[in-house]
Amino acid sequence: MWGFGMLQSGLIGFLISLSTSYFMVTLDVLNTNATVTGQELLEQFIVAAILGIAIGICTMIYQIDQLSYFVQIIIHFILVTICVCVAGYFGHWFDFNNIWSFVNIFKSELIIYTIVWFFFYTKAKHDIREMNELLQKRQEM
């Protein structure tokens, strides 16, 4: 189960990261009126792909039943932040002479994390509601 779960989580993270990365690169290019070379785009693709897989695998923390949901979220967010920092280093997302570049990346991470978390939380609540309704129907039979 863990093997398939890790593969599934890694793939979902990969897809979310690539789509988010494409969106962020597009916004950056539009806002700065810059151009991106094919080599730079490939580098960002690779960084985003690895980042997404790593974050996807980090979601396996939610499989550890001994931890409360709150603790799982905190640990997951810390792991995601570490992954983003490492990816940011390799992707040249930071200007080490400018603290605001770190703050902006962290703000972007927080916004993306909140949106993705809310989506999965809402989906999980919907799935639970459907299962409860199905169980209720079975009990009425």
Side-chain angles (χ1 to χ4, degrees):
M1 181 65 179
W2 274 77
F4 178 72
M6 285 180 77
L7 179 65
Q8 184 180 21
S9 294
L11 181 60
I12 290 169
F14 172 79
L15 295 173
I16 291 171
S17 184
L18 286 182
S19 58
T20 303
S21 174
Y22 181 77
F23 179 73
M24 301 281 291
V25 167
T26 301
L27 282 180
D28 188 49
V29 168
L30 289 173
N31 286 336
T32 61
N33 204 22
T35 58
V36 179
T37 67
Q39 181 67 31
E40 292 169 329
L41 195 55
L42 177 62
E43 289 171 8
Q44 293 305 314
F45 174 88
I46 292 168
V47 168
I50 294 170
L51 174 63
I53 292 169
I55 289 174
I57 291 171
C58 288
T59 64
M60 298 303 292
I61 192 77
Y62 293 110
Q63 302 299 317
I64 301 174
D65 296 331
Q66 293 85 358
L67 299 175
S68 71
Y69 187 62
F70 180 74
V71 171
Q72 290 172 338
I73 291 171
I74 297 300
I75 292 171
H76 185 257
F77 184 75
I78 290 168
L79 292 172
V80 167
T81 301
I82 291 168
C83 290
V84 167
C85 288
V86 171
Y89 172 79
F90 287 104
H92 310 288
W93 301 346
F94 310 119
D95 175 3
F96 289 100
N97 297 321
N98 182 355
I99 189 70
W100 291 109
S101 67
F102 290 96
V103 171
N104 288 333
I105 293 297
F106 183 74
K107 284 191 315 189
S108 297
E109 174 199 350
L110 191 57
I111 291 167
I112 293 165
Y113 190 91
T114 303
I115 291 168
V116 171
W117 179 86
F118 184 75
F119 171 79
F120 282 108
Y121 179 78
T122 304
K123 182 181 179 331
K125 291 213 38 130
H126 178 265
D127 292 346
I128 290 168
R129 193 174 320 114
E130 279 186 350
M131 282 190 256
N132 285 335
E133 288 173 4
L134 183 62
L135 287 171
Q136 185 68 29
K137 287 179 185 177
R138 281 192 164 180
Q139 287 179 348
E140 293 171 358
M141 293 176 120

